[in-house]
């Protein structure tokens, strides 16, 4: 939102300069973005008059001019085709910065003749986009007069308007707040109604009151359109608007002056003598949406959720309510009779229309934030007076259809809340003065009853009033009270769950996993792939269409994150996340899980790597469970019972007993990856942290002494015949338990089925690592240990292969 200082002073009686105004706005909560002062930029430039102009001796297109300036007579070389004797123009001295050229003038010869300054064009002073020559000014201007005074340049303030304050989108609203902040006296002129001299021949009918509850208008006949007067053009140009003609400029002026968007129709182009406000229509049978050619020259398809202004008994769209008018009824210099519209359009409908059609007009910007509904008719009267003053004509009576939305409701307010919430020590009279200046109506009795003004629909309760008082009194007046001394700051104490989550994060990061933080939502169809998608877990107001359901698993988000990385050239993903999942809508349906995912991608490979990665994933998983204090030695590995999103032959679960499933891990199903547009293979695990029992006894935070063996380890190989369906993990655990003091590790290095192995059996070759502790083992001790290994394997049903 932009406005000039002189424009503000039409509503605010103040002697403050632009710097004081900007400072007061900032202290009152209006975020000033920029103060552009063209007077300072034009300070070096003054009026000058060319006394003589002769052709340059060495250049046909240059002239050597003798110029009467504020610095006396100067010889200036000029290349403008319109430079001539007697011309009054603008002079820039040596050392001046020319904004349109971005250069500072220096004294230098031009084809052998020294130019002692410069004669300026409008574009060089940034007064116009382009120029054919130097400025031609009125002959009665005095030499030496400042350029800023010639062009009426004045400071412009640009500030950011928060969505809840549409009243700041009018200069009158800004003046009201500054007057309340004691920067001056509010003097906004009151609106004087204009009496109509005949009934309006154009009627209005509202078919969609939910989109447009009230619509006012009147016919003005016999107007004379054309270029706006200089003061109006200058005011609009100063804030970045292009002057079009008197009728359009009046609507733009009132939109910025009073935050009252208006629209003017050429009455001769309205078919049927009636304006109909309705929703967009879709042709029966074909399903084709109606179209509107708007004033910007573009064609828009209108759907039923949009507010349409139509004529000819509602058949032809002539505008989008609150957004933009149609080209078919636009005004031109030939317009004689006009119908002026002043309506109130629903903010949500207007905002959605602009978003759908990607239109952001000044009217849409204001209506989407909610303009003052009580100013519908006064805004029309104000526009009528300006049109009559600038264009002449004869007005009809005002036509009002519909009902103005009700003003904000009154509520009780205790002025003591100001001190309770802010610490400000203000008496009741000062609080009442601030609120009254802002437009609030106060009934003071045992308790106050406050009614917000029609333009402050954002105020809904006492806390809003406290904010208004603090804002106007000044945040700088808030008392600075130190917090009470609480002694030495306490160190953060984590509960057991938080401590386990921290250990999990550190352990996975140490293994090379990168932590991902994804949404707790996903798409309903994606949730259905992972056992979710229940209607009870749908989000009523999702932040995005593809985040409409609470996630039943972290894995879909990690899969999609890995796929996004792969699409950007980083296919070898290794991710983890700790977060909640949602299994149903009951309070106990939320679980905390630790999920990890790897997408092994070697540069070039032929087989083997994916299987190695699966065992590597299992190793990471077991190390993580051990770090969490899980009873790793008691876990049962079960295959063939994982859910549908896991690969049936390359996945398993770890569980404590038949009911407590702690982990599912393995390769993800190619079908699921394809539906999520991800390239396989991908391997993952998901630990239900709630199912991991707390370790018995707290672990010491201090590390014990390192127990490093000083003797060389040795290995022994064993081959056992095992039933083909029996898990090898059961065998390795049994062998490792044969002598926990001496056996450091048991590794599987071969699994064989074929000749020499009975049917239904497999040969499992184990490498047992033996680590002596106190002394080198003798041969009998090694044989005794081997016998214990064979005996332990025999208890699992395995026998030593001969």
């Amino acid at each position: 939102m932009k406005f000039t200082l002189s424009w503000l002073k039409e509503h605010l009686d103040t002697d403050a300069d632009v710097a004081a105004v900007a400072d007061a706005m900032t202290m009152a909560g209006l975020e000033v973005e920029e103060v552009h002062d063209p007077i300072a930029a034009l300070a070096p430039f003054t009026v000058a008059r060319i006394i003589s102009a002769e052709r340059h001796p060495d250049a046909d297109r240059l002239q050597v001019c003798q110029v009467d300036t504020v610095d006396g007579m100067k010889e200036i070389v000029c290349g403008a085709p319109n430079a001539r004797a007697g011309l009054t123009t603008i002079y820039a001295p040596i050392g001046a910065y020319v904004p349109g050229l971005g250069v500072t003038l220096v004294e230098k010869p031009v084809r052998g003749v020294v130019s002692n300054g410069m004669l300026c064009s409008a574009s060089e002073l940034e007064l116009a986009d382009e120029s054919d020559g130097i400025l031609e000014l009125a002959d009665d201007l005095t030499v030496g007069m400042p350029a800023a005074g010639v062009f009426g340049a004045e400071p412009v303030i640009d500030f950011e308007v928060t969505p809840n304050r549409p009243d700041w989108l009018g200069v009158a609203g800004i003046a009201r707040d500054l007057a309340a902040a004691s920067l001056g006296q509010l003097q906004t002129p009151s609106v004087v109604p204009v009496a109509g001299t005949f009934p309006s021949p154009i009627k209005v009918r509202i078919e969609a009151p939910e989109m447009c509850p009230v619509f006012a208008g009147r016919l003005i006949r016999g107007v004379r359109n054309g270029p706006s007067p200089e003061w109006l053009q200058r005011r609009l140009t100063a804030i970045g608007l292009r002057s079009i003609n008197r009728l359009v400029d009046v609507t733009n002026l009132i939109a910025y002056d009073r935050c009252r968007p208006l629209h003017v129709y050429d009455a001769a182009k309205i078919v049927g003598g009636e304006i109909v406000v309705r929703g967009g229509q879709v042709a029966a049978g074909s399903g084709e949406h109606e179209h509107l050619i708007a004033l910007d020259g573009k064609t828009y398809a209108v759907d039923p959720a949009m507010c349409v202004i139509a004529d000819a008994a509602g058949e032809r769209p002539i505008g989008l309510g609150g957004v933009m008018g149609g080209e078919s009824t636009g005004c031109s210099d030939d317009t004689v009779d006009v119908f002026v519209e002043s309506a109130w359009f629903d903010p949500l409908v207007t905002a959605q229309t602009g978003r759908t059609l990607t239109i952001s007009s000044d009217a849409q910007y204001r209506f989407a934030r909610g303009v003052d509904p009580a100013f519908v008719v006064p805004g029309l009267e104000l526009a009528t007076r300006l049109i009559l003053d600038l264009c002449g004509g004869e007005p009809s009576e005002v036509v009002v259809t519909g009902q103005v939305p009700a003003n904000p409701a009154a509520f009780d307010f205790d002025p003591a809340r100001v001190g309770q919430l802010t610490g400000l020590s203000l008496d009741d009279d000062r609080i009442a003065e601030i609120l009254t200046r802002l437009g609030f109506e106060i009934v003071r009795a045992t308790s106050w009853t406050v009614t917000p003004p029609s333009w402050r629909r954002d105020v809904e309760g006492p806390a809003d009033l406290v904010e208004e008082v603090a804002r106007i009194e000044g945040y700088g007046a808030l008392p600075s009270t130190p917090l009470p001394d609480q002694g030495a700051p306490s160190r953060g104490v984590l509960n057991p769950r938080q401590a386990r989550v921290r250990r999990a994060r550190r352990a996975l990061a140490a293994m090379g996993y990168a932590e991902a933080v994804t949404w707790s939502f996903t798409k309903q169809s994606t949730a259905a792939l992972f056992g979710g998608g229940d209607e009870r877990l749908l989000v009523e107001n999702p932040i995005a269409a593809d985040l409409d359901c609470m996630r039943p698993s972290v894995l879909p988000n990690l899969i999609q994150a890995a796929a996004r990385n792969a699409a950007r050239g980083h296919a070898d993903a290794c991710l983890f996340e700790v977060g909640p999942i949602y299994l149903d809508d009951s309070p106990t349906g939320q679980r905390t899980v630790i999920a990890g995912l790897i997408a092994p991608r070697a540069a070039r490979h032929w087989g083997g790597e994916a299987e190695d990665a699966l065992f590597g994933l299992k190793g990471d998983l077991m190390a993580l469970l051990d770090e969490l204090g899980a009873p790793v030695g008691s876990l049962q590995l079960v295959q063939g019972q994982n859910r549908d999103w896991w690969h049936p032959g390359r996945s398993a679960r770890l569980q404590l007993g038949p009911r407590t499933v702690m982990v599912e891990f393995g390769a993800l199903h190619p079908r699921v990856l394809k539906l999520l547009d991800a390239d396989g293979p991908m391997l993952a695990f998901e630990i239900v942290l709630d199912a991991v029992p707390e370790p018995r006894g707290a672990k010491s935070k201090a590390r014990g002494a390192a127990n490093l063996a000083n003797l060389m380890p040795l290995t022994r190989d064993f081959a056992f015949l095992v039933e083909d369906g029996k898990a090898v993990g059961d065998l390795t655990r049994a062998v490792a338990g044969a002598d926990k003091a001496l056996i450091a590790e048991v590794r599987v290095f071969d699994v064989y089925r074929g000749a020499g192995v009975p049917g239904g059996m497999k040969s499992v070759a184990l490498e047992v690592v033996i680590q002596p502790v106190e002394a080198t083992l003798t041969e009998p001790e090694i044989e005794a240990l081997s016998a214990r290994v064979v005996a332990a394997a025999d208890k699992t049903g395995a026998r030593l292969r001969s």
Side-chain angles (χ1 to χ4, degrees):
M1 172 69 185
K2 296 180 180 180
F3 63 93
T4 62
L5 185 59
S6 66
W7 195 343
L8 175 68
K9 289 185 176 182
E10 289 186 1
H11 296 273
L12 184 68
D13 183 11
T14 179
D15 296 328
D17 60 10
V18 67
V21 169
D23 184 64
M25 290 176 64
T26 301
M27 296 309 296
L30 290 83
E31 183 182 349
V32 176
E33 291 191 336
E34 181 187 9
V35 177
H36 176 63
D37 190 356
I39 296 177
L42 293 175
F45 304 93
T46 54
V47 173
R49 185 171 290 107
I50 302 176
I51 303 302
S52 66
E54 300 179 359
R55 195 180 70 178
H56 193 288
D58 295 327
D60 292 340
R61 296 185 179 181
L62 297 179
Q63 297 187 74
V64 179
C65 302
Q66 302 300 321
V67 183
D68 185 11
T69 72
V70 68
D71 300 321
M73 194 66 65
K74 295 289 183 178
E75 186 172 70
I76 299 175
V77 178
C78 180
N82 61 333
R84 62 185 182 276
L87 177 66
T88 303
T89 186
I90 295 296
Y91 155 72
I94 297 298
Y97 176 77
V98 183
L101 299 177
V103 299
T104 300
L105 298 181
V106 296
E107 186 176 330
K108 65 177 183 179
V110 180
R111 295 286 184 95
V113 178
V114 175
S115 182
N116 297 287
M118 179 179 177
L119 302 180
C120 302
S121 67
S123 61
E124 289 162 346
L125 296 181
E126 293 188 335
L127 300 175
D129 294 333
E130 56 185 24
S131 304
D132 294 332
I134 59 176
L135 284 161
E136 298 191 19
L137 305 178
D139 295 336
D140 58 353
L141 294 177
T142 305
V143 171
M145 180 179 179
V150 174
F151 303 114
E154 57 178 321
V156 176
I157 297 176
D158 185 6
F159 74 101
E160 183 67 25
V161 179
T162 56
N164 66 320
R165 293 302 304 270
D167 56 306
W168 283 347
L169 290 169
V171 180
I174 303 165
R176 183 187 302 111
D177 275 30
L178 292 178
S182 302
L183 190 69
Q185 293 296 321
L186 188 66
Q187 59 177 18
T188 299
S190 58
V191 178
V192 179
V194 178
T197 59
F198 61 93
S200 173
I202 297 178
K203 306 302 178 184
V204 177
R205 176 161 49 94
I206 298 177
E207 295 182 354
E210 71 282 0
M211 297 180 176
C212 175
V214 61
F215 189 110
R218 79 189 318 167
L219 181 76
I220 304 177
R221 61 190 181 192
V223 301
R224 297 181 302 279
N225 200 8
S228 295
E230 184 180 352
W231 69 267
L232 181 52
Q233 293 188 36
R234 186 175 293 175
R235 175 158 293 182
L236 297 179
T237 302
I239 61 173
L241 296 181
R242 181 172 60 90
S243 174
I244 299 175
N245 56 49
R246 296 173 193 167
L247 293 172
V248 175
D249 290 355
V250 164
T251 63
N252 287 335
L253 177 70
I254 296 176
Y256 276 81
D257 188 71
R258 302 294 184 96
C259 189
R260 167 32 58 186
L262 304 161
H263 187 65
V264 179
Y265 301 90
D266 188 329
K269 300 176 182 177
I270 297 176
V271 179
E274 184 180 37
I275 286 179
V276 180
V277 184
R278 58 171 173 79
Q281 295 180 349
V282 179
S286 66
E288 183 178 352
H289 290 229
E290 63 181 340
H291 290 77
L292 169 73
I293 303 176
L295 287 172
D296 60 1
K298 298 180 181 179
T299 301
Y300 297 98
V302 182
D303 62 47
M306 300 176 185
C307 182
V308 171
I309 311 299
D311 65 359
E315 293 298 324
R316 184 185 67 153
I318 60 174
L320 290 170
V323 179
M324 188 174 291
E327 188 179 78
S328 60
T329 55
C331 295
S332 66
D333 289 348
D334 298 328
T335 297
V336 176
D337 299 335
V338 296
F339 186 80
V340 185
E341 165 199 296
S342 179
W344 195 88
F345 298 98
D346 181 80
L348 293 179
V349 173
T350 308
Q352 186 59 50
T353 300
R355 189 178 299 114
T356 302
L357 301 179
T358 65
I359 299 177
S360 182
S361 63
D362 284 338
Q364 187 270 343
Y365 186 77
R366 285 163 171 77
F367 277 121
R369 282 155 177 77
V371 301
D372 181 5
F375 203 71
V376 169
V377 174
L380 179 61
E381 299 284 8
L382 184 60
T384 302
R385 173 55 59 195
L386 281 171
I387 291 174
L388 295 179
D389 291 344
L390 297 179
C391 307
E394 182 183 7
S396 74
E397 297 172 353
V398 174
V399 176
V400 180
T401 304
Q403 187 70 36
V404 175
N407 287 337
F411 53 85
D412 293 336
F413 175 63
D414 182 0
R417 293 286 288 167
V418 174
Q420 294 169 2
L421 294 181
T422 67
L424 289 170
S425 298
L426 301 177
D427 57 37
D428 290 358
D429 290 339
R430 175 57 180 159
I431 295 173
E433 178 189 6
I434 291 174
L435 295 177
T436 303
R437 286 187 174 187
L438 290 174
F440 294 89
E441 295 181 3
I442 303 175
V443 177
R444 298 175 64 173
T446 304
S447 63
W448 290 16
T449 301
V450 179
T451 304
S454 58
W455 60 83
R456 291 301 306 274
R457 310 183 83 81
D458 60 303
V459 176
E460 299 176 347
D464 296 323
L465 298 182
V466 172
E467 180 184 5
E468 291 300 297
V469 172
R471 179 175 66 86
I472 297 302
E473 184 66 18
Y475 293 124
L478 295 176
S480 178
T481 305
L483 294 174
D485 185 8
Q486 300 294 329
S490 60
R491 296 180 179 177
V493 178
L494 302 179
N495 61 37
R497 175 185 289 272
Q498 292 170 331
R500 299 177 85 185
V501 168
R502 173 181 284 186
R503 287 200 301 272
R505 284 194 170 102
R506 290 179 173 178
L508 287 167
M511 296 174 193
Y513 289 75
E515 183 172 9
V517 180
T518 66
W519 296 106
S520 293
F521 321 106
T522 187
K523 196 174 183 179
Q524 185 181 17
S525 58
T526 301
L529 295 176
F530 289 81
D534 193 295
E535 293 289 337
R536 295 172 296 179
L537 292 179
L538 292 180
V539 181
E540 290 186 359
N541 186 24
I543 58 176
D546 56 351
L547 295 173
D548 60 346
C549 185
M550 306 304 291
R551 65 184 181 186
S553 169
V554 178
L555 295 180
N557 291 0
L558 292 182
I559 292 169
Q560 291 170 329
R564 286 192 297 270
N565 278 278
R568 290 161 175 79
H570 303 283
D572 193 8
C574 191
L575 307 172
F576 82 92
E577 181 175 0
V578 182
I581 61 172
Y582 306 87
L583 304 181
D584 54 50
D585 65 341
S586 67
T588 60
Q590 181 173 324
R591 299 285 190 274
T592 300
V593 299
I594 304 170
L597 178 141
I598 60 175
R601 299 286 192 279
R604 300 181 72 180
H605 69 275
W606 179 79
E609 283 81 354
E611 200 69 30
D612 293 342
L614 181 56
F615 285 112
L617 177 80
K618 181 184 177 186
D620 293 343
L621 175 60
M622 300 306 290
L624 176 59
L625 290 172
D626 184 62
E627 179 68 24
L628 294 176
V632 176
S634 303
L635 295 178
Q636 298 174 349
L637 187 143
V638 179
Q639 291 181 276
Q641 296 186 22
N642 278 21
R643 288 170 287 187
D644 294 342
W645 55 92
W646 297 102
H647 193 296
R650 299 184 59 235
S651 62
R653 60 170 53 172
L654 296 174
Q655 58 190 47
L656 283 172
R659 295 185 178 180
T660 307
V661 179
M662 189 182 300
V663 186
E664 288 188 339
F665 73 98
L668 292 162
H669 202 293
R671 173 185 59 84
V672 173
L673 297 179
K674 184 177 181 181
L675 290 173
L676 295 180
D677 199 21
D679 294 330
M682 287 189 183
L683 315 173
F685 64 81
E686 194 165 43
I687 303 172
V688 180
L689 189 59
D690 308 79
V692 180
E694 297 283 349
R696 295 179 181 177
K699 290 186 176 180
S700 173
K701 293 184 179 180
R703 291 187 178 183
N707 185 17
L708 303 177
N710 57 358
L711 298 173
M712 291 292 293
L714 65 149
T715 62
R716 286 293 183 270
D717 294 346
F718 299 86
F720 296 100
L721 290 174
V722 185
E723 292 181 9
D724 200 9
K726 196 171 185 64
V728 176
D730 296 339
L731 175 61
T732 59
R733 279 193 296 272
V735 170
D739 193 325
K740 294 182 179 180
L742 292 176
I743 297 177
E745 189 177 1
V746 179
R747 292 191 286 259
V748 179
F749 68 87
D750 184 52
V751 178
Y752 172 72
R753 301 175 183 84
V757 176
M761 306 291 285
K762 60 185 174 183
S763 174
V764 180
L766 304 179
E767 180 185 43
V768 179
V769 180
I770 305 169
Q771 176 61 64
V773 179
E774 297 179 353
T776 302
L777 297 178
T778 63
E779 193 64 31
E781 290 173 331
I782 296 174
E783 291 298 330
L785 177 60
S786 298
R788 291 197 296 274
V789 168
V790 174
D794 186 62
K795 292 180 180 179
T796 66
R799 67 178 188 271
L800 190 67
R801 184 180 176 189
S802 57

